[in-house]
Amino acid sequence: KGKMLERIPQSELDDLVARVSGTGKFKRPAQFTQEGRTAVISDIHSNYWALKAVFENISEVGVDQILCAGDVIGYGPRPNECCYLLQRLGGPTVMGNHEFGVLNQDYRNFDMYGNITVLWTASVLDKSSLTWLRSLYRSHGDHKKQLKMVHGYPEDKGDNPMSKIDVYLFPTDEIGKGKQDKEYIEKYLSNSGVNILVTGHTHKPYILPVNGKYAINPGSVGQPRDGDLRASYALIGDGEPRIIRVDYAVYETVWEIKKLFLPRYLADRLADGK
């Protein structure tokens, strides 16, 4: 069993849930509904202080539902608190590669830091969190084909069974895939009937409009990698989709990572958003 921090009191977590769900006409739908305002989050990575700040911001904005594109856990120090909050708020969440790694110990497609924290996370997750993680699907789509949500890639890519979880989609990135991925997204949205494609995994936010449809990556709540250390999420259903950045107590998460003797690199990267 790995070293653990003292848990955030459940009353504090429940108060946060109440603040979010007490706004607007909040519901916990099993399916996405295009009516109302929707917050889209992803890549929380066990960063409770970032998730708390995002939920506080969402409670001020007022939303009707929350979608999560995976990686609730991994890297960060508070996986159980983050799982609890997502369970209680109850909107659709898909499985990310870190959830898959915790549930499948023979899967090790991570760097050194990912492997270390997957093992630590698996050792500290409580029964309720594990049960919830096992219930997650690799993709989510509503019955009207309004929305498709995955962590990685929207379709099976060749013979890669992990496409939906562990393939990066970089339509605006500088690594050389941008043009190729942009063309793929445009073709996918034009031919699939899907109006909104939600992905995560890259930790870099973007909104790509395609003839009245949208591909949206909300960026990362808990480990931004676009040079902006603020937590990131997307808001849809209220005019044009937009990315929202939120300040949070970065130093709290940095301190907790160091206190647990998790890799120092994971604390340092939070301070520069890379």
Side-chain angles (χ1 to χ4, degrees), residues 69-72 94-101 136-137 151 162 165:
D71 274 3
V72 178
V94 295
M95 182 175 290
N97 56 312
H98 282 260
E99 283 85 30
F100 188 86
L136 302 181
Y137 292 97
H151 185 64
M162 290 297 292
I165 289 179

Side-chain angles (χ1 to χ4, degrees), residues 52-88:
K52 179 175 185 285
V54 165
F55 278 168
E56 287 173 343
N57 185 271
I58 287 172
S59 73
E60 294 170 3
V61 171
V63 302
D64 299 281
Q65 57 194 332
I66 295 174
L67 306 177
C68 179
D71 274 3
V72 178
I73 59 172
Y75 295 133
R78 291 194 177 274
N80 287 304
E81 285 88 344
C82 293
C83 286
Y84 180 82
L85 289 172
L86 266 294
Q87 287 181 78
R88 287 293 313 277

Side-chain angles (χ1 to χ4, degrees), residues 92-129:
T93 297
V94 295
M95 182 175 290
N97 56 312
H98 282 260
E99 283 85 30
F100 188 86
V102 162
L103 299 174
N104 299 270
Q105 292 292 303
D106 57 342
Y107 173 76
R108 283 291 172 270
N109 193 23
F110 299 102
D111 61 16
M112 175 180 66
Y113 308 107
N115 284 329
I116 290 170
T117 55
V118 160
L119 290 171
W120 175 81
T121 300
S123 76
V124 301
L125 283 171
D126 60 30
K127 183 177 180 181
S128 175
S129 295

Side-chain angles (χ1 to χ4, degrees), residues 169 171 181-189 197 206 208 215:
L169 198 58
D181 284 352
K182 182 174 183 290
E183 290 174 350
Y184 167 77
I185 289 173
E186 290 171 344
K187 183 178 179 181
Y188 176 82
L189 286 175
L197 171 65
Y206 64 80
L208 179 64

Side-chain angles (χ1 to χ4, degrees), residues 16-218:
L16 184 56
V17 170
R19 288 179 62 182
V20 175
S21 59
T23 62
K25 299 177 181 177
F26 191 84
K27 43 191 172 289
R28 296 172 173 83
Q31 295 287 340
F32 167 74
T33 57
Q34 197 156 308
E35 298 78 25
R37 187 182 289 166
T38 301
V40 185
I41 63 176
S42 188
D43 295 278
I44 299 158
H45 285 297
S46 302
N47 187 339
Y48 166 75
W49 300 104
L51 183 59
K52 179 175 185 285
V54 165
F55 278 168
E56 287 173 343
N57 185 271
I58 287 172
S59 73
E60 294 170 3
V61 171
V63 302
D64 299 281
Q65 57 194 332
I66 295 174
L67 306 177
C68 179
D71 274 3
V72 178
I73 59 172
Y75 295 133
R78 291 194 177 274
N80 287 304
E81 285 88 344
C82 293
C83 286
Y84 180 82
L85 289 172
L86 266 294
Q87 287 181 78
R88 287 293 313 277
L89 285 167
T93 297
V94 295
M95 182 175 290
N97 56 312
H98 282 260
E99 283 85 30
F100 188 86
V102 162
L103 299 174
N104 299 270
Q105 292 292 303
D106 57 342
Y107 173 76
R108 283 291 172 270
N109 193 23
F110 299 102
D111 61 16
M112 175 180 66
Y113 308 107
N115 284 329
I116 290 170
T117 55
V118 160
L119 290 171
W120 175 81
T121 300
S123 76
V124 301
L125 283 171
D126 60 30
K127 183 177 180 181
S128 175
S129 295
L130 281 168
T131 299
W132 178 68
L133 294 175
R134 292 188 184 106
S135 75
L136 302 181
Y137 292 97
R138 298 188 186 201
S139 65
H140 172 79
D142 69 296
H143 65 285
K144 295 181 180 179
K145 285 193 172 181
Q146 295 173 324
L147 175 134
K148 175 74 171 284
M149 179 170 64
V150 294
H151 185 64
Y153 210 76
E155 302 175 296
D156 292 326
K157 191 174 185 181
D159 59 355
N160 183 351
M162 290 297 292
S163 300
K164 292 185 177 70
I165 289 179
D166 203 12
V167 174
Y168 290 96
L169 198 58
F170 270 123
T172 60
D173 196 67
E174 65 282 357
I175 65 173
K177 285 186 63 195
K179 184 174 184 294
Q180 173 187 334
D181 284 352
K182 182 174 183 290
E183 290 174 350
Y184 167 77
I185 289 173
E186 290 171 344
K187 183 178 179 181
Y188 176 82
L189 286 175
S190 297
N191 297 335
S192 65
V194 171
N195 294 328
I196 300 173
L197 171 65
V198 174
T199 63
H201 197 32
T202 68
H203 295 221
K204 296 184 177 183
Y206 64 80
I207 294 174
L208 179 64
V210 181
N211 297 323
K213 302 181 178 184
Y214 295 93
I216 298 171
N217 187 317

